[in-house]
Amino acid sequence: MKVATSIVNTAICVCLAALPSACTQEEEFVPVPAGTNIPVTFVSAPDDAPGTRVTAYSRWQVNDRIGVYMVEAGQSLAQGSIVNGAANRQYRVESIQNNRAVFVPATGSDTIFIPMRKKVNFIAYYPYTQAIDKDFNFSVTNLSKQDVAPPSDLLFSNMKEEHIGGTYPKNISLLFRHQLAKVKLNINRGHSVPPLSNDIKVKIKNVRIDPLNFSLVNGIMAIDGAANNTTLYAKVSFNSSENATAEALLIPVAHAEQVSAVVEINNGANTYSTPLKSSDGSLRAANTYNYEVILGDPIPIDWVHINAGAFMMGSPPDELDRMADETRHQVTLTKDFKMSKYEITCEQYASFLNQKKIGSNARDYVDDFGMQDLIKLDNPNMKWENAQWKPVNGKEKYPITHVTWFGAKAFADWMGCSLPTEAQMEYALRAGTQTTYFFNIADTDKYIWYKSNSGNALQPVGEKLPNPWGLHDIVGNVHEYCVDWYQANLGTQPVTDPVYTTPPTSNQKRCHRGGSFTDWSQRYHRSAARSNAEPWGAFWNVGFRLVYVPE
């Protein structure tokens, strides 16, 4: 889940462009008598900036005002380079012809005359203001209250044009480009969330607002003093009790700075928040960033609350079937968390793919990892049919498999949750026990699906007894992805809230836990048993469940 000080509640989206020295074929040329200064009108170029406002109607409108400077060709904008006193002349949109705005002088005294056979540059911007300082800067302010008065973008064009052979184009093209980023949020009501209120509020926090200067000389946005991270209120359009749209203009953020903004949505007495991220960690000028936001759970999920606590992770040296990577150490988890009661099912995953509008290639952008495969296309439990994803008939309540680690993470991110850490997984699996298994070995078939009782086949979720904390299939049926990179040696020292987000230098694999229906040996049913696989792999016996930490 994107000013001139004399313009009240108006933001500037400044855009920089260069027009080629040759005119377009659509332009009409008129003869000019020798020694005549030429009165000029302008027209927006065919590939002009797509919009001038943050609101839904964002095209040029009649009586929109631009400011224009005429300077000597090849010269920067300066007091000494302005030709014929044409400084900040006001032009207005007289008409819209073939989706192009035609600009004429706002008054007779605003008319710009081009000297005969004089090479000039035209510098134009929108919206017009008199409040340009002596160094040709705009003060970019008033971005914070976009809910009260939706701001306009300021568009900026820096072009060269030359009188050629005694004629001149009747309308000179101005090519504008935006210089702020635009963010658009499509907000939908999720499962178990109250209907959207008609006074829903949307804030974007931790964003740079003002004071900033934009230079008409070099087209650079310069920070005036220390950067500030504050809150802006987005323009919200209430569409129905199920949907609303929010739009805002944001100062561009370079990749090196990274986007740290957070969207906060106030719907009546309820507040929801989600990070505002882009594909490369930046917000680029002239780009519109579209986000789908679902309040609450977009898909119904049953949760089990798990209290914070400490336990011994790993296995003692004398445990039967123990592996070398199970070094025993104390782990303290300081925060309560909720874990999904069941493994995520094919039905739930298909709903995610369809709500996200994932196409038949099953690929999507995954935060921090770019475009990735989410599931294996020849999935025996899922199919692409009639332009949507569906579980194979009868497989709705089976756990999703043939899903990559990236596909599991994408689902978790979309739900506003995460995959469990390996420590959370073992803590929840053990459910307060410190024995080899959380169940009595004689009761194995009551609690888990494995090779001997599953027929070496995947089974529906929730058909076996839960562990003491109410989690079904926490062992058996499918292995379950964890968020951590696999570490072969977890050490023996006590740790608090461990999570391994930095990959090792070799053997870069992701952890998964819990054993599966394919296991013939009880080695993998043990609470300390660990497994791992490449994150891009999609396996017939690996799925996942979710966790989230309540605020």
Side-chain angles (χ1 to χ4, degrees), residues 20-333:
S21 59
C23 300
T24 66
Q25 291 181 354
E26 294 182 13
E27 291 168 340
E28 178 186 354
F29 283 75
V30 295
V32 178
T36 302
N37 285 340
I38 308 160
V40 175
T41 55
F42 299 96
V43 63
S44 60
D47 54 348
D48 193 10
T52 58
R53 292 165 177 79
V54 72
T55 49
Y57 186 86
S58 60
R59 298 287 180 179
W60 289 108
Q61 297 181 35
V62 171
N63 285 324
D64 279 344
R65 306 296 171 108
I66 65 172
V68 184
Y69 292 80
M70 181 170 64
V71 301
E72 293 183 28
Q75 299 294 314
S76 298
L77 177 58
Q79 296 296 343
S81 64
I82 295 173
V83 176
N84 283 1
N88 201 24
R89 297 291 179 85
Q90 184 178 180
Y91 275 62
R92 66 179 180 84
V93 177
E94 180 186 51
S95 61
I96 309 294
Q97 300 179 14
N98 298 321
N99 295 318
R100 301 173 68 180
V102 177
F103 303 95
V104 299
T107 67
S109 62
D110 287 304
T111 303
I112 295 175
F113 295 90
I114 303 177
M116 186 65 172
R117 303 188 184 280
K118 182 82 171 181
K119 293 183 179 180
V120 295
N121 288 353
F122 286 101
I123 296 171
Y125 68 90
Y126 167 88
Y128 173 79
T129 179
Q130 295 178 344
I132 299 174
D133 68 21
K134 62 182 179 60
D135 296 317
F136 305 101
N137 290 320
F138 287 95
S139 178
V140 183
T141 60
N142 300 324
L143 280 174
S144 61
K145 295 293 185 180
Q146 299 185 33
D147 59 329
V148 177
S152 298
D153 301 349
L154 177 121
L155 312 174
F156 181 67
S157 174
N158 185 3
M159 55 159 285
K160 290 184 178 182
E161 196 49 273
E162 178 183 353
H163 180 268
I164 303 174
T167 63
Y168 213 86
K170 181 177 180 180
N171 291 324
I172 297 176
S173 288
L174 296 175
L175 180 60
F176 292 99
R177 288 290 181 265
H178 296 280
Q179 198 69 1
L180 292 187
K182 183 175 179 180
V183 168
K184 185 174 182 179
L185 308 169
N186 185 34
I187 303 166
N188 291 286
R189 183 170 78 96
H191 174 67
S192 70
V193 168
L196 300 188
S197 168
N198 60 7
D199 65 348
I200 186 171
K201 304 293 184 185
V202 177
K203 304 176 187 177
I204 304 180
K205 296 183 171 182
N206 302 329
V207 292
R208 177 176 287 149
I209 294 180
D210 54 23
L212 295 171
N213 285 328
F214 181 87
S215 172
L216 293 181
V217 177
N218 55 26
I220 294 176
M221 189 84 73
I223 299 172
D224 183 8
N228 60 346
N229 288 319
T230 51
T231 298
L232 68 77
Y233 289 79
K235 169 65 179 176
V236 179
S237 299
F238 175 78
N239 302 321
S240 71
S241 62
E242 300 292 324
N243 175 263
T245 304
E247 297 174 286
L249 296 174
L250 300 180
I251 301 296
V253 177
H255 176 70
E257 297 179 60
Q258 295 293 310
V259 177
S260 59
V262 174
V263 175
E264 182 179 287
I265 300 171
N266 301 113
N267 182 43
N270 299 302
T271 299
Y272 310 86
S273 62
T274 185
L276 186 70
K277 296 183 178 181
S278 68
S279 60
D280 64 355
S282 67
L283 291 175
R284 299 182 183 277
N287 284 1
T288 296
Y289 294 84
N290 294 292
Y291 296 89
E292 295 290 327
V293 179
I294 299 176
L295 305 185
D297 292 347
I299 295 173
I301 288 183
D302 293 318
W303 298 98
V304 172
H305 185 93
I306 297 175
N307 293 320
F311 74 109
M312 294 302 295
M313 186 172 179
S315 59
D318 59 350
E319 183 169 295
L320 183 66
D321 292 325
R322 180 182 190 267
M323 304 297 287
D325 62 357
E326 299 170 14
T327 51
R328 206 169 197 205
H329 57 290
Q330 180 173 302
V331 172
T332 300
L333 300 178

Side-chain angles (χ1 to χ4, degrees), residues 296-368:
D297 292 347
I299 295 173
I301 288 183
D302 293 318
W303 298 98
V304 172
H305 185 93
I306 297 175
N307 293 320
F311 74 109
M312 294 302 295
M313 186 172 179
S315 59
D318 59 350
E319 183 169 295
L320 183 66
D321 292 325
R322 180 182 190 267
M323 304 297 287
D325 62 357
E326 299 170 14
T327 51
R328 206 169 197 205
H329 57 290
Q330 180 173 302
V331 172
T332 300
L333 300 178
T334 62
K335 296 179 180 180
D336 294 3
F337 61 94
K338 291 183 182 289
M339 180 173 276
S340 53
K341 187 174 185 178
Y342 307 104
E343 296 153 334
I344 298 303
T345 65
C346 294
E347 181 177 54
Q348 291 169 327
Y349 204 83
S351 180
F352 153 70
L353 293 175
N354 292 329
Q355 290 188 54
K356 279 276 287 179
K357 297 179 173 57
I358 305 300
S360 60
N361 64 356
R363 287 176 60 83
D364 195 26
Y365 171 80
V366 180
D367 283 350
D368 302 323

